[in-house]
Amino acid sequence: GVLAGGNDSQAAATTELPVSKSNAAYIVVGLGSKDHGCSIWKAGDVRPFYCMQEMFDGDVSDLAWSPDGYSLAACSADGRVMYMEFD
């Protein structure tokens, strides 16, 4: 993950969706935060596409997209992992 800042709750981890021919229409970024949640952003949008709050009891420490770009794993400083699938 990459430490980043610039929003109300400091960002803890970011990851970009792998781009392939099947998803080339969207550039998507996942942003994990120190407020125990994460958000999914489409490039060029001013608001998140999807937000998940209170996912963990600790900060989100890393995010990783699956190779096909339809799943996202998040891990937390509290030792837990969340796996999300998108359609």
Side-chain angles (χ1 to χ4, degrees):
V2 177
L3 291 179
N7 64 16
D8 292 342
S9 57
Q10 292 179 314
T14 63
T15 186
E16 292 183 28
L17 173 70
V19 177
S20 68
K21 288 182 181 179
S22 64
N23 69 4
Y26 299 103
I27 301 296
V28 179
V29 175
L31 176 67
S33 64
K34 293 189 174 210
D35 66 356
H36 313 172
C38 80
S39 55
I40 309 298
W41 295 74
K42 291 193 308 189
D45 287 357
V46 297
R47 298 198 190 310
F49 173 71
Y50 189 75
C51 288
M52 295 155 280
Q53 298 176 341
E54 300 178 18
M55 297 168 49
F56 300 108
D57 293 330
D59 299 346
V60 175
S61 56
D62 205 0
L63 299 170
W65 289 102
S66 63
D68 68 4
Y70 287 99
S71 302
L72 179 65
C75 65
S76 171
D78 68 13
R80 295 188 299 156
V81 174
M82 180 176 286
Y83 180 79
M84 298 157 273
E85 291 185 6
F86 301 92
D87 292 333

